[in-house]
Every structure is written in C-alpha cells, then in structure tokens.
Amino acid sequence: MTNIKHVATLAGVSASTVSRVLNGKSYVNETTRQKVMEAVQKTNYRPNVLAKSLKMGRSNTICLMVPSIQNLIFPEIARGVEDVARRNGFTVVLCNTDEDAAVEKAYIDKMKTRWIDGFVVCSNIGEADHIRALRVEGFPLVLVNRFEERDINVLDTVAVDSFQAAYDAVQYLVRTGHRRIALAYGREELYFYRERYRGYCQALSDAGLPYEEALVMRESSGVDSFYRLTQEVMRLPQPPDAIFTTSDPKAFVVMHALHDMGVRIPEDVSVLGFDNVSLSSMVEPPLSTVAQPLYDMGAVAAKNLIHQIRYKEKNGELPPPVRNVLGVDLIVRRSTR
Amino acid sequence: MTNIKHVATLAGVSASTVSRVLNGKSYVNETTRQKVMEAVQKTNYRPNVLAKSLKMGRSNTICLMVPSIQNLIFPEIARGVEDVARRNGFTVVLCNTDEDAAVEKAYIDKMKTRWIDGFVVCSNIGEADHIRALRVEGFPLVLVNRFEERDINVLDTVAVDSFQAAYDAVQYLVRTGHRRIALAYGREELYFYRERYRGYCQALSDAGLPYEEALVMRESSGVDSFYRLTQEVMRLPQPPDAIFTTSDPKAFVVMHALHDMGVRIPEDVSVLGFDNVSLSSMVEPPLSTVAQPLYDMGAVAAKNLIHQIRYKEKNGELPPPVRNVLGVDLIVRRSTR
DNA sequence: ATGAAAGCGCTAACAG
DNA sequence: CTGTTAGCGCTTTCAT
C-alpha cells in the first residue's frame, strides 16, 4: 500500500501539503495542487482510513444492531440504512443480538473500542439501559421501531404511528362489514405491539363493537403458537369474521391454520396483516396488510444518525432528539373481503 | 476513553508491560501481572482497536459482499458468517452490491483502505475479475455459491453440489410417478443454475425420459416472469405433471400462477423448490424443496476465511484453496405427491 | 502557501 | 522480566 509520504516525495512536497489538497481544508497553490493530484493518480493512492480515524477520533463507520437479520423485516431496514450510509461515505457493521442483553453489551463495548461513530438499534430496549446510556455518553444513537414511550423525544426514534395504523386498519375491517374481529397480539413487552393493541381496542369501541377477551390471541411461545390459538378462536361458539394480526409472519401462521381447518379466506374469515414483508404478496391468497415503509425507516434512521454525527463534530454536542413518524399504507389484496 | 498509558501509570509499570500482559505473548512476573489486571479492571480499560490495527496491519474485520440482503437466501448466509466471525473476535461489514460491478469495485477499494482482513463474497462473479484479483493481491477470499467452474480449487469456494442435488431431486420426482417434468430455469449466467439444469437433463436421460425444450421455462425479466411462463407451459397440449424450480422464490411465483389458473397442487401438478428459505414451510401447500444449508454455508465460509487469515499471518502467504461442498436435504412437504 | 514536528494509541524490537 | 524507543499513516498546530 502506497502511503502519503510516497505521494509527497513523488510530488516533491511535504506530507502535510498532500493532506491539505486531499482534504481541501486549506488553500494550496494551484500548480502544487496539480502536481500532488498527478502523483496521487500515478500511485493510485488511497488514504489509510485507519490512520485517519485514529487521528481524528472518527471512523466513518456506524453500527446496525438488529435482533436477527433472519427476521423478515430487518433485511429491508438494513438495506435502507446501508444505502444512505454508503452514499455518505459511511460503512456499516452488522450486529445480530438475538435480543440477548449480554451479546448487546459485548457488541457495544467492542464497537466503542473501534470508535464507531454511531448506532442504529432495533433492539428490545425495554430494560436495555445500556442502550440508552449510549446517548448519555455522547454517542449518536437512533432507535428504530423498538423503544418505549418514555424514549420519545428523549432519544432519536423512527417508527410508524402504531396506534393510528391499527386503529385505521380495524376501522377498515369494520367498514367492510366485519363485526367480530380477533386480534393476534404480539409480545406484550414491546411498546409498538401494545400500541397496536390500543388502536384495536379504540377502533372497536368507537365503532360500538364490544371488546371480547376471548378474541385476543396472546402469543405464548413464538409465532408458531398462533397455529393453536387460531384453532381455538375458530372453535368458539361465535367465531370471528376477521383476524387482524400485528405482523405478517403471524398472518402466515394464521392463514395456515385456517387452511388446515378448511376455513376459507376471505369468504369465512378475513385476515389482515401488518408490515408488508416481501412475501406477503406471494402467499395464497395474497395478504392484505398495513404496509410499514421498512426501507424508508432504515434510510431515515441513517440520515438522522449521520446528521447527529456531523452536528456533534461541529458543535461538540448532540442535537436535540427528534421523533420521526412515518406513514403507513393499507394494502388491500385478497385475504380480506 | 482511557488508554494504555493511564493503565500503565496507575499500575506503576510501562505501557509495553501492560501490552504484554494483555496479549499474553511474553512472560510477565505474576505479581506485576496482578497489578496490571487490577488497573485494567479499575479503569475498565479497553484497548483501542484502531490503533492496534494500524500498528499490526490487521483490523479483525471481514467484509461480506452480497447482491442484496433483501434476497431471501442472504440473511441466512449472513447470519452464519456473523456468528462464527463474532465467536472468533471478528466484526463483519455488510456490503450490498446489487450485482453492480462499479459498486463492487468501489466497495473493494474502500475496504482495502480499512485494511479489511478478508472477503466473503456471494457476487455474480462471471466477469468479475476484480474479485479474483483479490487473492492475487494476497487478500483472503472465499466465494459462496456464486462462482465459475474455473474458480474451483483456484479460489476458496463453498456451495452445494448443484448438479447432484438437481439430479436427485428430479430422480425423486420420477420415482414418485412424474413423467413430464418442467424446469424453472434461473439466470443462465450463473454457474450453479447451469449445473442444476445439467442435473435435470441427466436425470431425465437416465430415467429414459425425453428432454423437451418446451418444458424448460427460461427467466426473462426477474422472478416474476415465471408467472407468465407457468401459464404458457400449462397450456401446452401436454402440460407437465411436475415443475422443478431452481429456487424457492420461483416456486412461490409458480404456485401463485397455478393457483390463479385453478390448477391443484399437488393433485394436478407437483411443485418442487430449491433452497428451503424460511417461508417455504408457510406457503399453501407447504413447499417440498431441496434444502441448502444456507446458515452452514455462511459459517463454513467464515471459518475458512478466518483460517486463511491466520495462516497468512503465520506463514506470510495464503494456504492452498479449498473447495467446500456441503450436502443438501430433500424436504418433502405437501406440494409434491 | 508550505514544511517540520508532534501525537492519536498501540506493539515490537532492542537493551538492560 | 521490564523499560525505552521507534513507528504504523495520518492531520494539525506552529513556524517560516
């Protein structure tokens, strides 16, 4: 690898001059600038980012922490993050945590020693104060999707309005004639699932429909538990005429169970999902769902993070936190009537 | 951030001694070792990886290059890579290339300036000599899934035996009574798709079945083109009684088209996929498929890469390339009879 | 406008 | 066994 000194001697100048022309921070005589550029070309010189980072205390690298990239929604988010990172000269390090606090902590620790510039995290942050601590320590941080109510406007967040989205979704179901709407609830420790639940309740109530505990399916052991829960709810004396699921993967399981029971979708019961994961259009029937702009969420998160990084560089402190709320789209396909 | 000097003065020794106890390369008096460890604890000292990398010419970071993490198979592979990387103290940088040679080159360039230790690449390497060049330049490199025949035993590779897997799959179809087996061919510029095609042809021929060009569906514009192709093939005077697809996403599209035509699966036609992507068990009917051990492929690739890195460190040169061939499993679900 | 020198934090000879 | 020194490649005062 050719270094700045080679270039300098080749151009007949000092290393500092080369640095100056490359970083354009200071004025340099046009003719020497030319000479330097020539030498750079000739040697195909690339500055050593490590050395630069060491010197500058900045690595142009950000860390993306997700529970698991195997979970359908995170590849989309990750792609959004990576695209804007790349366009801004940043590199992204991928960390799968499996929602294990120990792994998370170990990763954070490791990232700090690399002088990572900031963190985009989609973690289960309920108890995760080691994540919140990041901002206190001065690290740019943005939370995507997973955070608590108390984090809003305290930390930077990006998400959809889960309450409103669920409310609108259920209202749609009511408007299209459904009267007994079941809910496939997600893990209750996650704020956004609680919000979707609230939206469901509120929409029911505003429509004058009763809330029935028997109609809310509560996940016990992973998404697969909805297979059994679907069977149970459909065997009720008065089974539901629609099932609103708080995520697409749950909808897939529900549809599967329904199919195995010989229940027709949407003739006997409508199924409405949440997320619009890439495969939701491929199942049979194609799933109606509330589309979260996953890619955009990643992109917005990265933009916000990079803004924080630059702001901090300039002002020595983090900008005030901002809450990014993105809109959803109701995609009507063929699983609802 | 506390640095090695703080620790040194706190422990009343020199920086080199601290370095020595932390890296355990050289013997250190037990009592001074104690003192140092104490100081390390007290200050919660973490070595600055950047400085270390700069000094050592190694970053403990590897680069994972994929066309797009949004493509269903790459999250699994990525997870395999990341898990073994983490367990070995490596960090992974994620690069989505969209199979764009320019993006690939830019990434490689950038990675080199970070002194990345090695590359795991799942790229469209047909013409990509900038990838092959990596090994010539001394970079540890392993190719997953995508490579040409001429790369085998020249570069490190990991993949399944696509020919054999396809051969066995078609043989299974024949054994279960299918006589007119269509093939959903993939992009022909990819070696592994050509191999699957070869396996298909050979199995047909060995079973005494004729090869019919009309029965091979050739992708024109992305996976969606199989919707139309399926319609066409099913409208043939003698339609197929089975469709073997060279990837699961193609199978999903095929099934979709079949369903829309009112063709029953598997009663009228069996569908057999390839990959065993996580969603293949969730579609209706659950997809029978040739399971590639995607996670393991990633894990093996990372292991191989790390071995190369260590070998090179020790011997100053790369070890001879190895070809890793992993086994597949035929998963029979309900889309085949 | 440019060069010399110091230093980011660490490791590895080289002495002792 | 341990301290001193040099240097990885870069940026940034401070002189000139």
Side-chain angles (χ1 to χ4, degrees):
Chain A
M1 264 310 194
T2 133
N3 65 22
I4 200 169
K5 251 187 176 162
H6 298 155
V7 180
T9 49
L10 182 59
V13 298
S14 78
S16 3
T17 301
V18 176
S19 172
R20 276 190 273 259
V21 349
L22 258 22
N23 294 301
K25 302 247 182 187
S26 167
Y27 286 94
V28 169
N29 188 328
E30 183 54 24
T31 63
T32 62
R33 211 190 67 83
Q34 298 281 341
K35 273 192 300 186
V36 169
M37 288 313 286
E38 225 167 84
V40 167
Q41 300 275 289
K42 208 171 306 183
T43 55
N44 190 31
Y45 167 69
R46 303 272 158 218
N48 180 325
V49 179
L50 250 31
K52 184 167 181 163
S53 300
L54 178 59
K55 181 68 189 175
M56 310 275 276
R58 261 198 52 191
S59 61
N60 274 283
T61 304
I62 64 178
C63 169
L64 171 64
M65 253 163 80
V66 296
S68 174
I69 194 72
Q70 294 168 292
N71 177 320
L72 260 355
I73 76 164
F74 296 117
E76 311 291 323
I77 294 177
R79 192 59 210 272
V81 169
E82 208 248 51
D83 281 358
V84 350
R86 177 163 54 80
R87 282 201 293 272
N88 286 277
F90 284 79
T91 298
V92 3
V93 167
L94 175 66
C95 303
N96 292 293
T97 67
D98 285 325
E99 304 186 20
D100 179 331
V103 174
E104 262 177 39
K105 280 182 198 161
Y107 258 132
I108 289 178
D109 237 50
K110 191 167 168 186
M111 291 304 128
K112 285 181 188 168
T113 72
R114 309 185 75 93
W115 297 24
I116 237 49
D117 292 339
F119 296 81
V120 172
V121 0
C122 321
S123 174
N124 181 359
I125 200 175
E127 292 301 307
D129 283 326
H130 52 282
I131 304 252
R132 295 193 178 82
L134 251 16
R135 183 178 228 263
V136 182
E137 296 172 47
F139 284 99
L141 166 68
V142 10
L143 267 25
V144 179
N145 234 348
R146 298 193 180 194
F147 47 82
E148 295 292 311
E149 186 156 18
R150 71 176 194 275
D151 296 317
I152 296 172
N153 293 326
V154 171
L155 266 23
D156 288 76
T157 57
V158 6
V160 301
D161 183 340
S162 279
F163 170 81
Q164 192 63 45
Y167 183 93
D168 293 345
V170 171
Q171 196 174 55
Y172 165 79
L173 254 14
V174 171
R175 204 167 54 238
T176 49
H178 303 85
R179 286 297 169 266
R180 293 184 59 74
I181 303 171
L183 176 77
Y185 201 162
R187 294 160 50 198
E188 304 181 29
E189 71 267 30
L190 296 182
Y191 171 65
F192 66 87
Y193 279 139
R194 294 199 303 274
E195 284 294 286
R196 289 176 201 176
Y197 171 71
R198 264 187 60 224
Y200 162 82
C201 295
Q202 188 67 47
L204 245 38
S205 142
D206 286 0
L209 258 24
Y211 169 88
E212 290 184 39
E213 183 59 32
L215 253 29
V216 353
M217 304 148 71
R218 292 174 193 269
E219 174 173 345
S220 49
S221 54
V223 162
D224 286 335
S225 49
F226 286 101
Y227 190 90
R228 191 180 40 75
L229 291 167
T230 301
Q231 293 177 321
E232 287 176 12
V233 84
M234 292 308 294
R235 289 194 186 117
L236 248 29
Q238 297 194 50
D241 53 12
I243 301 180
F244 174 44
T245 68
T246 52
S247 76
D248 284 354
K250 295 184 190 77
F252 299 148
V253 176
V254 167
M255 287 169 75
H256 207 205
L258 255 19
H259 179 273
D260 289 354
M261 296 177 81
V263 177
R264 292 166 308 164
I265 308 167
E267 293 81 356
D268 301 326
V269 43
S270 290
V271 177
L272 180 59
F274 201 114
D275 281 345
N276 194 30
V277 134
S278 67
L279 260 100
S280 55
S281 64
M282 312 249 49
V283 293
E284 195 43 57
L287 181 67
S288 297
T289 191
V290 177
Q292 288 201 72
L294 297 169
Y295 179 93
D296 290 342
M297 289 163 69
V300 167
K303 254 175 230 160
N304 178 317
L305 189 73
I306 291 170
H307 173 249
Q308 287 186 56
I309 293 168
R310 295 194 174 138
Y311 185 100
K312 180 187 172 188
E313 174 118 74
K314 212 164 126 186
N315 303 285
E317 56 172 7
L318 262 14
V322 354
R323 173 189 195 178
N324 297 281
V325 179
L326 276 61
V328 299
D329 278 315
L330 180 64
I331 311 245
V332 177
R333 287 196 272 244
R334 298 209 311 267
S335 67
T336 48
R337 59 174 156 77
Chain B
M1 263 310 196
T2 133
N3 67 20
I4 200 170
K5 250 184 177 165
H6 299 156
V7 180
T9 49
L10 183 59
V13 298
S14 78
S16 5
T17 301
V18 176
S19 171
R20 275 191 275 259
V21 350
L22 258 23
N23 295 301
K25 301 247 181 187
S26 167
Y27 286 95
V28 169
N29 188 326
E30 183 55 25
T31 62
T32 61
R33 210 189 68 83
Q34 298 280 342
K35 273 192 300 185
V36 169
M37 287 314 286
E38 227 168 83
V40 167
Q41 301 274 289
K42 208 171 307 182
T43 54
N44 191 30
Y45 168 67
R46 304 271 158 219
N48 180 324
V49 179
L50 249 31
K52 185 167 180 164
S53 299
L54 178 59
K55 179 68 187 172
M56 310 276 276
R58 262 198 50 190
S59 61
N60 274 284
T61 304
I62 64 178
C63 169
L64 171 63
M65 250 161 85
V66 297
S68 173
I69 194 72
Q70 294 168 293
N71 178 320
L72 260 358
I73 75 165
F74 297 117
E76 311 291 324
I77 294 177
R79 193 60 211 269
V81 170
E82 207 247 52
D83 280 359
V84 351
R86 176 162 55 81
R87 282 202 293 273
N88 287 276
F90 284 80
T91 297
V92 3
V93 167
L94 175 66
C95 303
N96 292 293
T97 67
D98 286 324
E99 305 185 17
D100 180 329
V103 174
E104 262 176 38
K105 281 182 199 161
Y107 258 133
I108 290 178
D109 236 49
K110 190 167 169 186
M111 292 304 127
K112 285 182 189 167
T113 73
R114 309 185 75 92
W115 296 24
I116 236 57
D117 292 337
F119 297 81
V120 171
V121 359
C122 321
S123 174
N124 181 0
I125 199 173
E127 292 301 307
D129 283 327
H130 52 282
I131 305 251
R132 294 191 179 85
L134 251 16
R135 181 178 230 262
V136 182
E137 296 171 47
F139 283 100
L141 166 68
V142 10
L143 266 26
V144 180
N145 234 347
R146 299 194 179 192
F147 48 82
E148 295 292 310
E149 185 158 19
R150 71 176 193 276
D151 296 316
I152 296 172
N153 293 327
V154 172
L155 267 21
D156 288 76
T157 57
V158 6
V160 301
D161 183 339
S162 279
F163 170 81
Q164 191 63 45
Y167 183 93
D168 293 345
V170 172
Q171 196 175 55
Y172 164 77
L173 254 13
V174 171
R175 205 166 55 237
T176 49
H178 302 85
R179 286 296 169 266
R180 292 184 60 73
I181 303 171
L183 176 76
Y185 201 163
R187 293 161 48 198
E188 304 182 28
E189 71 267 30
L190 296 181
Y191 171 65
F192 67 87
Y193 280 139
R194 295 198 302 273
E195 284 294 286
R196 290 175 201 177
Y197 172 71
R198 264 189 59 225
Y200 163 83
C201 295
Q202 188 68 47
L204 245 38
S205 143
D206 286 1
L209 258 25
Y211 169 88
E212 289 183 39
E213 184 59 32
L215 254 27
V216 352
M217 303 147 74
R218 293 176 192 268
E219 174 173 345
S220 50
S221 55
V223 160
D224 286 336
S225 49
F226 286 102
Y227 191 90
R228 191 180 41 77
L229 291 167
T230 301
Q231 294 178 320
E232 287 176 10
V233 82
M234 291 309 294
R235 289 193 186 120
L236 249 27
Q238 299 192 51
D241 53 11
I243 301 179
F244 173 44
T245 69
T246 52
S247 75
D248 284 353
K250 295 185 190 76
F252 300 146
V253 176
V254 167
M255 287 169 76
H256 207 207
L258 255 19
H259 178 273
D260 290 354
M261 297 178 80
V263 177
R264 292 166 310 163
I265 308 168
E267 294 80 356
D268 300 327
V269 43
S270 290
V271 176
L272 181 59
F274 202 114
D275 281 345
N276 194 31
V277 136
S278 68
L279 259 100
S280 55
S281 63
M282 313 249 48
V283 292
E284 195 44 56
L287 181 67
S288 296
T289 191
V290 177
Q292 286 202 73
L294 297 169
Y295 179 93
D296 291 342
M297 289 163 69
V300 167
K303 255 176 228 160
N304 178 318
L305 189 73
I306 291 170
H307 173 250
Q308 287 186 56
I309 292 169
R310 295 195 173 137
Y311 185 100
K312 181 185 173 189
E313 172 118 75
K314 213 165 125 188
N315 305 284
E317 57 172 6
L318 261 15
V322 354
R323 172 189 195 179
N324 297 281
V325 179
L326 276 62
V328 299
D329 279 315
L330 180 64
I331 311 245
V332 178
R333 287 196 272 243
R334 299 210 309 269
S335 67
T336 48
R337 59 173 158 78

